[in-house]
Every structure is written in structure tokens, then in C-alpha cells.
Amino acid sequence: MTNAQILAACRSNWEYRGVDDASLREMLDELSAHLEDAEAAGRSAQDVVGRDVRAFAASWARARAPLSRRAPRTVAMACFAAGWLLLGAYLIRWTTAVDVTAGFLAFWPATGTATVAWELRRGSIGLGRSWLVGLAVGLPAALLASWLAGGGVLFTLPLWAPPLLLLPGLPYAVADARAARRRRKAEAEAGV
């Protein structure tokens, strides 16, 4: 990988993780200086970041933003994703209430937890692979829960549940969209 590719990969990973703009610029400047120093000393970029750039970026983001600062955003975004998935269940069934079974209750939290844990640990692996990892955990959890608890309805969720789940993540989603728009605008102005 070239230095520009490494910087771009780290930037996207850090933006995904919610690193603020000032810290992001500072981290990119510091990494750029380290890469230039390594190149001047005759070492490769791999000597600086290691074999896995995403893992390097993820570990630096974790060190830069401790779990106590990352946790609220992660929980809010997980609720935001769950709210959209639940809203999809209402729309697919065209109903104002969704019956929750043990399998349903086990599947979504297991899938979400596996996906978020993988993303926090390793960085983004893409939406498709991320969902595959989640499904590899969620399907067995749903089958086991259905087998243990049976297929009966545990409770019914009314239509106001998805908006309630969407609210905590809405500010983060808006901030992410604005940051992406600013980044695209800056890249267009720079001719990248």
C-alpha cells in the first residue's frame, strides 16, 4: 500500500468510529509524519502500521478514544440500526404491532452484538461480510432460543417502539452524514 492509501484507510476507519475532526486531523498529520520518516529512513510503510492497516487504525482509535467515550455512540447507533430493522418488520408485515418470540428476541441482539463487536475489534470488513458474521452467531442463537422456549409469543411491540429506538442514534447519524458530505466536498475541491 502507498502512504496515501494507508492514510485514506485510516481516515475512513476513524471517521466510522466517530473520531472528532480535530483529533482526526491531528492523527492523520502524526501518521503522515511517521510514514514520511520511515520512508526517509529506508523502511516500508508496513514497518509503521503493520500488516493489517484496519487493525492498526482500530487500535489507535481505541487508544485515542477510551471505551467510556465510545460506548454511548456505539449503543446509540446499535439502537438506531435496531430501530430501522424493527421498522422494516412492521412494514413487511404491514401491521401496527409485531409479535416477539424467543427466536426473534435472541436473533437480533446476537446478530447485532456480534456485528458491533467485530467492527469495534477489527474495523470495518464491509456490510456483506459483517452481516455474515452476525448471521453465523444470530441463527444458532435464534434456533436454540426457539428450541428451549418454544415458539409462543412473549410480548407484542407497538408501532411507537421503532421511533423510540431511532431517537438516540439520530444525532450521531446526522453528524456522520454531515461529516461525509464535508469530506466529499473537500475531496472534490482538492481534485481527489
Side-chain angles (χ1 to χ4, degrees):
M1 287 183 99
T2 66
N3 289 355
Q5 290 171 325
I6 290 171
L7 290 170
C10 288
R11 173 192 274 285
S12 66
N13 191 296
W14 294 333
E15 285 175 345
Y16 172 78
R17 291 172 184 283
V19 174
D20 62 282
D21 288 339
S23 296
L24 183 90
R25 284 191 297 275
E26 182 182 322
M27 292 165 72
L28 285 171
D29 290 343
E30 186 176 339
L31 179 58
S32 179
H34 285 304
L35 291 171
E36 290 170 5
D37 290 345
E39 190 174 4
R43 295 188 336 238
S44 70
Q46 191 174 16
D47 293 334
V48 176
V49 297
R51 298 178 73 73
D52 190 353
V53 176
R54 288 182 178 153
F56 166 80
S59 67
W60 197 356
R62 281 192 302 273
R64 186 68 175 223
L67 182 61
S68 61
R69 282 195 2 219
R70 289 190 331 254
R73 180 184 193 282
T74 302
V75 169
M77 291 309 287
C79 287
F80 189 74
W84 280 112
L85 291 170
L86 191 55
L87 188 59
Y90 286 94
L91 292 174
I92 289 170
R93 296 178 183 156
W94 201 251
T95 183
T96 59
V98 169
D99 293 334
V100 177
T101 62
F104 182 89
L105 197 58
F107 176 77
W108 291 111
T111 301
T113 301
T115 304
V116 168
W118 187 272
E119 295 276 335
L120 288 175
R121 177 71 184 119
R122 300 287 301 159
S124 179
I125 59 173
L127 185 62
R129 287 188 206 152
S130 179
W131 276 100
L132 284 176
V133 168
L135 287 175
V137 174
L139 285 176
L143 292 173
L144 181 63
S146 291
W147 181 68
L148 290 174
V153 175
L154 299 175
F155 57 91
T156 302
L157 281 176
L159 186 56
W160 54 262
L164 194 62
L165 287 170
L166 289 169
L167 282 176
L170 196 57
Y172 293 109
V174 169
D176 289 351
R178 286 181 178 170
R181 190 173 47 240
R182 281 194 307 267
R183 185 181 75 244
R184 283 192 304 272
K185 184 179 176 183
E187 287 172 354
E189 289 174 356
V192 174

